[in-house]
Structure formats: C-alpha cells, structure tokens
Amino acid sequence: MPVTPTEKKKPRKAVRRGTPAYVKSLRGVKNWKEASEWLAWRDIEDIECITPDQAGVARGKMMPSKKFISNSTLALPSAVFMVTISGDYPDDGHGFVYPEDDGDLRLVADLSTLTVVPWESDPTAQVLCDLVYQDGRVAEFTPRNVLKRVVDEYAKLGLKPVVAPEIEFYLVRKNPDPDYPLTPPVGRSGRAIGGGQGYSIAGVNEFDELIDDIYHFSEAQGLEIDTLIHEEGAGQLEINLRHGDPIELADQAFMFKRTIREAALKHDMYATFMAKPIQGQPGSAMHIHQSIIDKKTGHNIFSNEDGTESEAFYHFIGGMQRHIPNALVMFAPYVNSYRRLTPDASAPVNVKWGYDNRTTALRVPRSDPQARRVENRIPSSDANPYLALAASLACGLIGLKNKIMPDAPVATSVNRNEVELPRGLIEAVSLFEQDNELKALLGESFATTFAAIKRAEFETFMEVISPWEREYLLLNV
C-alpha cells in the first residue's frame, strides 16, 4: 500500500532469535501471560473487546492494552442483545419479558481470537468475547453462546460438526440517502460494473486494489480465504472459507464481514451483505457446507466403512427437511431477506435435496466418502453467522436423534412452482415459535428474545410507505 508524504509508517519489528512462537502468532494466545507479551511485542496501544449482537453487529468496548492485561472487569447492558436493527426494543409478549433491572453482562475475552486490527492507523488489537451473568452463568440468549450450546449437544453424542461457509456480498457506490436505489460501483476500467460476470476473472480484476486489501487485512488477522470469485450480480463477489470448527468459522465469518466493509470504505465504496440490495439483480447467500465427524475415530459419519451413504447421512437430511421452514427466521432474518427467496431464482424456496442440484435447498456435492457433506443453500448473507450455523446444525441434529428419513432425492429443477418455505418474516417467526424441539436445542431464552426482536422489526417496517405504494395506489384506488 503506497504511503503518502503525510503518513508515518512504523518500522516492522525485527524478529529476535528466541522469540516465542506464540508472540509471533497472527491469531490467538493461550493465557494472559502470553497475551501480555503478544501485545507488548507489537506495541499495541488499544484493544477492542467485541462480541456479536443478535444481528451480527460488533458490540463492545475499547480500552488501553495495559488495562486489558490487568484482567479488568468489562460489562455491557443486557439490553444490547435485545435491540432491533433500528435501535428499538421489543414489547413484552409471546414468552418474552424485558428485564426490569436492565442488568449488566460480563465480557469474557476468548484469547484464542486475539489479533490485530489492520485498518487502524494506531497499533490496535481486537478480541472476541463471550457473555456471562455477574454470577458466572452463561448468557444463553447471546449468539456465540447459542452456537456453543448446539455444538455441545453434538459433543454429548461423541460427534463434532465441520462446516464451511460461502459468503456473497455486493460492492456498491456510496449512497448516503436511503431513498435512492443502490447502484453498482465503477471498476478500474472506469465503467459501471454490469451483471452476468459469474466466475469472471476480468470481473474480479476490476477491483484488484480493493481485493488486495481484503487479502492483506485477512492475512494480518490470521484469517484464511479459500477462494474468491465474482458472482452473477453486478459487483457481487463471494468468499469461501476453509472448513473447520463451527465456532471458529462463525468467528471468521463475523470478522470477514467487518474486514470487507472496512476495505470497501477505504476505496470509497460500500460492501453490503443485504440479501437483496439491488432490484433485478441476484440475491446474496451464505451457503453452509456441513459434515459430522466421530470424535473417537475421526471418521465422517455420513459415510459407511465401504464408502456408501450411511443412515446418519439420511437422518441429518431428514431433520433439515422437517425443521428448516421453522428455522427460516434465523436464515432469513429481515423483511428484505424474503425478496431473495422467490420462485424461478437462484435461491431455493423448497426443502428438497439432490446430488449436485443447485435448485434444491440441500445440495450434496460430488465428493469422496470422507468429504461427504450437505450444503444448506437457504441462508442469506444478512444472517448472523453464529445463528445461521446454530440453526442449520440444530435441524440436522434433531434428525440424527429422531432418525428422521428424508424424501427421495430429486434430479430435476424444483425451484419454479412449489414454494415450501414461508414467504414473509412474520410467518417465519410464527413457525419458529411453534417448533418446541428446535427451541429446546437453541435455548428458550434465546428463542423468545429473538422472536420478539423480529416481530418488532416487522412492525417497524410496516410503518414505512414504499415507492411502489405511491406509484400504483396514490391515484388508482
């Protein structure tokens, strides 16, 4: 990155012989002693203690690194995790009761996530935090803890989920006025980006400098990008993450979103993870590849010893087919999300499954037996990655426990006429509230809180009069 005359670039700290490996690690340490040395070696001045709220927005506090390593107690109001995307609070009802004391939750730093903030001008670090009550009990309704709860349920059965998210997003021109539609950005060619650029290398090259910054920012944080491609939409890109532990991958997806937004702003653009940001263009998805490993043997339980499909493979799909409609509000959490889920589009509106069939909700990619997996193609990129992973794995786990058999696989296009998913947010909330098995896995306190937030967001949306209504109803009805 070129340095302007007004910028002062600090010299890179020399690596001394004998410097411990954990000090040089790009991401994570084991304890507070290592954290202290890690911060000192980089001359870190400030540290951001952050955690995802229900929308996946980074919330937290910034503090001097010296105070951080003194293990000072940090707290956030519990209300932070009950707020809507517009900053409002839901009403009591449907099992949700707003806490009268609005008490604090303690932030507990997960030192394995400690890393730098590469876009800051001053030496700054960041660390992800879990939330507990003042007495140490886990705050079960917070997103990172919801995913941990589901992963723990697998662990009780001797199982370990493995996931790999694929996250689509749009680059758009800066647009400070929400009354105007978003438009594609101008690339290095000097022309506005058009659609139809799926897997186009030239389409990626239009944003060479921005993509370089995404890679540089990611590398500095110890985040691994598997591949980056241009998708079908105008200025639509996709990042694929390497497979791994669900909590680690949710952390990476959370941090990638932040990284991509910062890189785009540096180049005078917005990066948006809205499910459907531009009318007439494809929506943005967060596809989730999933397999389940036996912790004792390391074997993929979706395959038998002879390489054939196992009963567990079918049961996992069966559980997803039965419960995905009820979990849809966690995959498609906003009114805008349902603009992506329409017939005759690339996003599925069914709960079918098939081999290498991209019109189904559940696609089984061609692979060798040890890599056999199920791709959930329903989640939108606007979903909180912790909650989308938690919901997807929870649906499959119910199938494993109850031995639910799936329908027969389909080999034809099934995304045209039959719609098997809710078409709107409020319908999705109602189905979610009725699924007791799903709510029990995710936690009742989370389920009632999340549903209350979504109902409040729907009511806020209903207060807005759209251009369509003024265009067609003003003088015609």
Side-chain angles (χ1 to χ4, degrees):
M1 181 179 67
V3 180
T4 65
T6 58
E7 291 178 327
K8 293 181 180 180
K9 191 171 182 179
K10 290 195 175 184
R12 185 182 296 272
K13 179 158 284 194
V15 178
R16 298 190 306 272
R17 185 173 297 177
T19 301
Y22 62 80
V23 171
K24 296 181 286 185
S25 171
L26 294 174
R27 184 174 179 80
V29 294
K30 293 180 180 178
N31 53 51
W32 286 100
K33 177 182 177 296
E34 292 185 3
S36 178
E37 295 178 35
W38 190 96
L39 294 166
W41 192 70
R42 290 167 175 77
D43 295 324
I44 297 294
E45 299 173 1
D46 299 303
I47 185 160
E48 300 172 350
C49 300
I50 58 176
T51 192
D53 70 0
Q54 303 292 3
V57 174
R59 306 277 185 174
K61 293 183 176 181
M62 179 176 281
M63 64 191 307
S65 59
K66 290 181 180 179
K67 184 175 181 182
F68 175 73
I69 59 175
S70 69
N71 204 9
S72 298
T73 300
L74 282 179
L76 288 177
S78 58
V80 168
F81 304 92
M82 302 174 192
V83 69
T84 69
I85 196 66
S86 59
D88 300 315
Y89 295 92
D91 295 327
D92 291 354
H94 299 273
F96 172 76
V97 178
Y98 188 84
E100 292 184 7
D101 59 359
D102 191 16
D104 280 346
L105 299 175
R106 285 198 293 117
L107 288 164
V108 180
D110 182 345
L111 295 179
S112 70
T113 68
L114 180 66
T115 185
V116 298
V117 183
W119 50 83
E120 291 287 353
S121 56
D122 294 325
T124 304
Q126 60 188 329
V127 66
L128 296 181
C129 300
D130 289 315
L131 290 133
V132 299
Y133 292 101
Q134 297 301 319
D135 60 5
R137 289 178 298 119
V138 171
E140 291 185 338
F141 63 95
T142 58
R144 204 165 185 258
N145 287 333
V146 172
L147 178 56
K148 284 187 173 185
R149 179 187 175 102
V150 174
V151 172
D152 285 347
E153 289 299 316
Y154 275 90
K156 291 176 183 177
L157 302 177
L159 302 175
K160 177 179 175 59
V162 176
V163 301
E166 301 171 347
I167 309 169
E168 296 172 349
F169 61 96
Y170 273 89
L171 298 172
V172 297
R173 298 190 201 194
K174 276 192 171 179
N175 183 355
D177 191 335
D179 283 337
Y180 286 89
L182 298 173
T183 56
V186 174
R188 67 174 187 167
S189 65
R191 303 183 68 180
I193 303 301
Q197 298 289 321
Y199 294 92
S200 166
I201 297 301
V204 172
N205 289 342
E206 285 281 355
F207 308 107
D208 267 350
E209 292 185 0
L210 187 155
I211 289 170
D212 283 346
D213 278 334
I214 290 175
Y215 276 114
H216 294 156
F217 287 169
S218 299
E219 182 182 2
Q221 297 172 87
L223 303 175
E224 290 189 276
I225 297 175
D226 192 18
T227 58
L228 187 149
I229 65 170
H230 199 294
E231 269 290 349
E232 289 293 327
Q236 186 185 35
L237 303 177
E238 176 184 285
I239 280 183
N240 298 334
L241 307 184
R242 293 188 179 181
H243 64 274
D245 175 81
I247 298 160
E248 292 179 8
L249 267 295
D251 287 344
Q252 289 197 36
F254 171 65
M255 296 179 78
F256 265 121
K257 283 189 170 186
R258 195 168 180 230
T259 298
I260 291 164
R261 288 192 188 99
E262 291 290 339
L265 286 172
K266 180 181 172 184
H267 292 268
D268 205 37
M269 300 179 202
Y270 293 152
T272 179
F273 295 88
M274 280 180 65
K276 189 78 168 182
I278 303 177
Q279 184 173 327
Q281 294 290 328
S284 289
M286 181 172 61
H287 300 153
I288 300 172
H289 293 253
Q290 307 153 103
S291 57
I292 309 298
I293 303 300
D294 185 306
K295 294 179 73 173
K296 286 186 178 179
T297 65
H299 184 73
N300 183 347
I301 70 168
F302 288 170
S303 297
N304 295 316
E305 291 294 335
D306 62 2
T308 58
E309 294 161 346
S310 67
E311 288 293 302
F313 168 76
Y314 293 117
H315 295 157
F316 187 89
I317 293 174
M320 295 197 76
Q321 282 193 311
R322 182 171 299 181
H323 290 274
I324 271 179
N326 306 334
L328 185 62
V329 69
M330 296 174 69
F331 302 133
Y334 304 102
V335 173
N336 179 263
S337 309
Y338 297 84
R339 301 189 189 279
R340 168 182 166 262
L341 298 173
T342 57
D344 289 319
S346 57
V349 291
N350 58 74
V351 292
K352 301 291 193 297
W353 75 280
Y355 299 97
D356 205 16
N357 186 341
R358 284 183 168 83
T359 71
T360 59
L362 306 172
R363 170 178 171 259
V364 179
R366 304 293 178 182
S367 68
D368 60 53
Q370 187 58 20
R372 182 169 281 125
R373 60 196 186 275
V374 179
E375 178 191 11
N376 181 356
R377 296 178 57 81
I378 288 178
S380 304
S381 62
D382 57 359
N384 182 326
Y386 297 92
L387 299 184
L389 286 170
S392 195
L393 292 172
C395 291
L397 182 57
I398 294 172
L400 292 174
K401 286 183 171 182
N402 296 340
K403 302 186 185 305
I404 300 172
M405 290 301 293
D407 300 335
V410 296
T412 58
S413 178
V414 290
N415 210 36
R416 292 177 180 165
N417 299 319
E418 188 176 359
V419 177
E420 299 174 312
L421 297 175
R423 292 305 309 276
L425 179 61
I426 199 67
E427 181 186 353
V429 173
S430 295
L431 284 179
F432 176 67
E433 291 174 321
Q434 295 168 24
D435 193 323
N436 292 325
E437 280 187 291
L438 185 62
K439 289 192 298 181
L441 260 179
L442 299 171
E444 190 69 25
S445 62
F446 161 74
T448 54
T449 301
F450 191 71
I453 289 170
K454 293 301 140 185
R455 285 184 178 277
E457 288 175 350
F458 176 78
E459 295 303 331
T460 301
F461 173 81
M462 291 301 291
E463 295 174 2
V464 179
I465 309 302
S466 69
W468 186 94
E469 292 163 276
R470 290 190 291 270
E471 174 72 18
Y472 296 105
L473 304 181
L474 180 65
L475 300 177
N476 292 329
V477 297

